[in-house]
């Protein structure tokens, strides 16, 4: 890094990357030394004086192995930092401003051509998106008007058909009422006639009269019923025929 453009830039900014790297390495060495010293002190408490020398030799050997591997990794890290982390891009220059005789960095850097192109492209895309959005809004407005018109037409048709539907229901209800009244009237007449016939039959049975045959004519056809011997009176057969005729006419 010495003698390079990056070094000149950092010197102008009153910065020294090598000092930073050295400070980190010193902190690592201090941490490792403290760890092994603490380990050795605690281990000596567990052995006798005769074994302490052997323990110190063992700790020293382990420390040498660890320190060697650590130094290799630290050297690689130092090279990486100086070659990649503390290197300024090519063509980078500091803009100097003479204020009170000191060199100061400008607050804002000039935008390059690529950034201008990106901004222009973004503006064009935004403009195109705005036009497309306006077209979609117009189409949506047209669909909304069409939907409102269709809904109004549907409401007008429903309103026009409503009187006819109401009249149809009303007429059907009146027809049902008339049919029910007619049915009640016929049932009442039939019940009255049946009671009269039953009274007459009881009177005739008391007299001991027998009937041999009865002929019944109706609007639907003719029913011929005969009795050959004593049994069901002919009057009851006549009453049954009348009931069938009345029920058929309902």
């Amino acid at each position: 890094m010495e003698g390079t453009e990056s070094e000149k830039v950092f010197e102008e900014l009153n910065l020294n990357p090598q000092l930073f790297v050295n400070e980190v390495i010193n902190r690592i060495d201090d941490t490792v030394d403290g760890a092994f010293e603490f380990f050795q002190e605690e281990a000596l408490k567990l052995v006798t004086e005769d074994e302490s020398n052997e323990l110190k030799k063992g700790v020293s050997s382990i420390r040498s192995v660890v320190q060697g591997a650590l130094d290799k990794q630290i050297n690689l890290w130092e090279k990486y930092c100086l070659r990649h982390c503390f290197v300024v891009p090519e063509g980078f220059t500091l803009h100097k401003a003479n204020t009170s005789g000191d060199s100061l960095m400008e607050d804002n850097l000039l935008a390059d051509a690529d950034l201008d192109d990106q901004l222009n492209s973004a503006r064009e895309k935004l403009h195109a998106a705005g036009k497309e959005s306006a077209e979609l809004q117009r189409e949506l407005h047209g669909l909304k008007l069409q939907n409102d018109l269709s809904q109004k037409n549907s409401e007008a048709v429903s309103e026009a058909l409503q009187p006819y539907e109401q009249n149809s229901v009303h007429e059907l209800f009146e027809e049902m009422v008339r049919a029910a009244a007619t049915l009640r009237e016929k049932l009442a007449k039939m019940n009255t006639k049946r009671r009269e016939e039953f009274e007459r039959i009881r009177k005739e049975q008391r007299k001991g009269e027998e009937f041999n045959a009865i002929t019944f004519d109706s609007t639907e056809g003719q029913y011929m019923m005969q009795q050959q011997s004593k049994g069901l009176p002919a009057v009851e057969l006549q009453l049954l025929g009348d009931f069938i005729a009345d029920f058929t006419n309902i």
Side-chain angles (χ1 to χ4, degrees), residues 114-181:
D114 292 337
L115 182 59
D116 291 336
D117 293 339
Q118 292 177 3
L119 291 175
N120 293 332
S121 177
R123 292 191 187 97
E124 292 176 358
K125 291 180 180 179
L126 181 62
H127 181 67
K131 292 177 62 177
E132 185 177 359
S133 177
E135 293 177 358
L136 292 176
Q137 289 292 337
R138 286 194 294 270
E139 292 180 2
L140 181 62
H141 183 66
L143 291 174
K144 185 177 180 181
L145 292 177
Q146 185 177 359
N147 183 47
D148 293 341
L149 181 60
S150 177
Q151 186 175 1
K152 289 180 180 179
N153 292 336
S154 178
E155 291 176 355
V157 172
S158 299
E159 185 177 357
L161 293 176
Q162 187 175 3
Y164 297 99
E165 294 176 354
Q166 292 177 352
N167 292 336
S168 177
V169 173
H170 183 67
E171 291 175 359
L172 179 61
F173 180 76
E174 290 181 349
E175 184 67 24
M176 292 175 63
V177 171
R178 288 194 296 269

Side-chain angles (χ1 to χ4, degrees), residues 57-101:
K57 291 180 181 180
V59 172
S60 178
S61 299
I62 295 173
R63 181 174 181 177
S64 298
V65 174
V66 173
Q67 190 68 46
L70 185 61
D71 289 341
K72 291 181 181 180
Q73 296 297 325
I74 290 176
N75 290 334
L76 293 175
W77 174 79
E78 180 180 2
K79 292 178 181 179
Y80 178 82
C81 288
L82 296 177
R83 293 178 182 178
H84 299 283
C85 298
F86 296 104
V87 176
V88 297
E90 294 183 1
F92 178 83
T93 57
L94 290 176
H95 298 277
K96 299 180 180 180
N98 294 325
T99 304
S100 301

